[in-house]
Amino acid sequence: MELFVCIKRVPDSAAKIRVAADGKGIDPAGVEHVISPYDEIALEKAVQIKEAAGAGAVTVICFGPAEATKEIRQALAMGADKAIHLKDPGGARGPLGVARVLADNIRARKFDAILFGRQSIDGDNSAVGIIVAQLLGLPVVSLVTKLELKDGVGVAHREAEGGTEVVEVKLPAVFTAQRGLAEPRYPSIKGIMMAKKKPVEEILAPAPSGRLEIEKLSPPAERAAGKIVGEGKAAVPALVKLLRQEAKVI
Amino acid sequence: MAAVLAFVETSRGKLKKSAAEILGEGKRLAQKLGGTLDAVVVGHGVTALAGDAGKLGADRVLVADAEVFKAFGVDAYLKALVKAVAASSPRLFVMAASVVGKDLGPALAAATQSALLADVTSVAVADGKVRVEKPVYAGKAVATIAASSPMVVATLRPNVFVPAQPEDGRSAPVEVVDAGVKPDDLRAVVKEVLAKASEKLDLTEADIIVSGGRGMKGPENWGILEKLAEAVGGVLGASRAVVDAGWRPHEEQVGQTGKTVSPKLYIAVAISGAIQHLAGMRTSKCIVAINTDPEAPIFKVADYGIVGDALEVVPVLTEELRKLRE
Ligand SMILES: Cc1cc2nc3c(=O)[nH]c(=O)nc-3n(C[C@H](O)[C@H](O)[C@H](O)COP(=O)(O)OP(=O)(O)OC[C@H]3O[C@@H](n4cnc5c(N)ncnc54)[C@H](O)[C@@H]3O)c2cc1C
Ligand SMILES: Nc1ncnc2c1ncn2[C@@H]1O[C@H](COP(=O)(O)O)[C@@H](O)[C@H]1O
């Protein structure tokens, strides 16, 4: 089983996000980076599938700056066999631009499936996996919570609105991981040691100039300070009154 | 040629709630662009719903009605949308950032080489550009993004845009779209649907959400939250701690690695308000927090708070709300 997993380097979910002086990006000071959480889920699943099959390889692909070497080593320590680092010289681009870089560097390779996170936790687009599938002419199943790949067929459970769909698809195909698909492992010491020796292919990959421009980044609208209505059940009537008369939501 | 083409979703023989929001915003933008609003409806047995789209402001309704569209699948629906785009040549394509829209928006952007603006909270058109505001970093920042491709695809966050009010007596011409999809064209096939789709609204579309956290102590205490949700006509949500503990299914998780919601009323019960939880609900219109700890961060974003034991406060709140209903 040859599996590709696309991973993105993103600010840690607990990071404080401050707008940089240019008003267009974030201030990098003190911001820790990690593999986007859904991508870790996709990676874990890919490693489990490979381990169960007892054959094949998991390749992680990351389009990111030079610093993404850290996240790539982390992915190798979590069980990926090799990596492709598409080095991003920087510049703005939308999901279509990112997807083009990924698709262009995957197209000529051999694989049974490509796994993505359902969404990156910085761009929050939920788009790149679906676009890559279109660009490569492959079927895609999104929001996958359970996945089995064998004999050229994938069977996925998909979290649709109000129910779980069991979807069957011919391989090669694209899947995007939803929470529940797998629990990412912590790398073992042995895993970390082995990661140092695993191959990383480095390719300079400028993204096509997109037709998107980030004009401004702003902090979210502050919520007006709220009030503590009171303590314990005695405060309930006052709360209900406020919800009816002031907030008018009930 | 239309200025705006809006994809509206259907469910159980009706337009979905989001349809009014998409058509309301679509109409406003079409007027700004000095053009008309087309709507496209895709499904099986949905032709009868074209009239409802007309009442909600569409100037023309394109309908792809066929058996292959019975269950949603990207392959088939995308073909229908591409045909609709050819018939409409819009400047802007809008749809909901729903489960379906999050599949179709990117696919359509790829198929038509258009810029994609995903999960946006406001849209403006000026000097040949489409300009949106879009929460990024899980709502910890808002990006203003401009797109200049010939067509732009935007998916609109549910519960944010002003819904169109139906105008009785208004009607729009209906045109059939023949997407020419054959059952063999479908590469991903839905074999079965487990956990039969309930009548319950999806969290992202709900007007009122009652969410429980680890302070509820255990799944056996969820009964009081269910009763509260029933009394206010809301649906249940949960923090990740609760989902990780297996007390609730992960479809109910709100937050950075769960659902992003913007209901009219969000009641956070025994939830501390960790940054990742706030990421999913801070754009709610009104937030109520019930927590024993007056220092809990949830109180910093809550409009109204009660410091107290949920097990004691919630039943009383339910009782008061029930009285109101009677
Ligand atoms: C990568 C990553 C992603 C994450 N994504 C999410 C996400 O999507 N959603 C999410 O929710 N979390 C997420 N988290 C977890 C988050 O950091 C918190 O751990 C989690 O939200 C805590 O859940 P909680 O508030 O229910 O529990 P706790 O933090 O344990 O809080 C329980 C609260 O209950 C109160 N309490 C106790 N007893 C009572 C009582 N009897 N009555 C009333 N109040 C009481 C306590 O004072 C406390 O404030 C994520 C974390 C990481 C690292
Ligand atoms: N720069 C990138 N490098 C590799 N994979 C990426 C990149 N950006 C996005 N992805 C993948 O696409 C998924 C969806 O991202 P997004 O569309 O930004 O929400 C992520 O979870 C990753 O799997």
Side-chain angles (χ1 to χ4, degrees), chain A residues 13 38 100 122 124 137 142 159 161-162 164 166 168 179 211 213 215-216 218 223 227 229 232 244 246, chain B residues 16 103 113 131 137-138 140 142 144 146 187 189 191-192 194 197 244 250 253 282 284 304-305 307:
Chain A
S13 72
Y38 292 105
R100 280 208 188 106
D122 55 352
D124 287 330
S142 63
E159 197 178 274
E161 267 166 29
T164 302
V166 183
E168 203 177 279
R179 233 170 91 69
R211 283 180 290 205
E213 191 196 343
E215 296 185 328
K216 195 169 79 182
S218 341
R223 293 192 70 93
K227 55 181 152 204
V229 178
R244 287 200 76 184
E246 192 177 84
Chain B
K16 283 184 64 175
D103 267 5
Q113 299 291 307
R131 192 169 278 111
Y137 301 99
K140 289 183 232 168
V142 179
T144 305
R187 296 172 297 179
V189 183
K191 289 284 169 185
E192 158 182 26
L194 307 173
D244 281 351
H250 63 83
Q253 185 183 316
R282 62 172 301 146
S284 304
Y304 307 114
V307 178

Side-chain angles (χ1 to χ4, degrees), chain B residues 24-178:
Chain B
E25 182 63 10
K27 187 77 183 182
R28 196 184 66 77
L29 292 165
Q31 281 164 352
K32 275 261 148 60
L33 288 162
T36 57
L37 170 67
D38 280 352
V40 52
V41 187
V42 185
H44 184 226
V46 294
T47 304
L49 303 180
D52 292 342
K55 286 199 181 97
L56 288 168
D59 297 308
R60 179 172 70 151
V61 186
L62 308 169
V63 180
D65 192 338
E67 175 106 42
V68 279
F69 299 126
K70 199 164 175 190
F72 170 73
V74 188
D75 288 341
Y77 274 59
L78 176 60
K79 282 213 166 115
L81 294 196
V82 168
K83 276 279 162 69
V85 166
S88 179
S89 319
R91 173 80 185 88
L92 179 61
F93 193 113
V94 289
M95 63 179 105
S98 59
V99 171
V100 164
K102 282 178 176 174
D103 267 5
L104 280 180
L108 183 65
T112 58
Q113 299 291 307
S114 305
L116 171 71
L117 299 165
D119 201 16
V120 307
T121 51
S122 86
V123 190
V125 284
D127 40 277
K129 285 188 178 166
V130 176
R131 192 169 278 111
V132 300
E133 286 185 319
K134 163 182 168 43
V136 288
Y137 301 99
K140 289 183 232 168
V142 179
T144 305
I145 307 177
S148 54
S149 53
M151 180 174 93
V152 173
V153 178
T155 64
L156 315 188
R157 180 172 286 194
N159 269 349
V160 172
F161 292 86
V162 181
Q165 296 302 324
E167 256 179 71
D168 284 328
R170 192 179 186 284
S171 75
V174 176
E175 243 165 72
V176 172
V177 175
D178 179 8

Side-chain angles (χ1 to χ4, degrees), chain A residues 228, chain B residues 268-274 278 289-302 305-308:
Chain A
I228 300 278
Chain B
V269 185
I271 290 176
S272 61
L278 301 184
I290 301 170
N291 197 303
T292 42
D293 175 8
E295 303 296 323
I298 191 75
F299 286 123
K300 294 222 168 65
V301 300
I306 291 185
V307 178

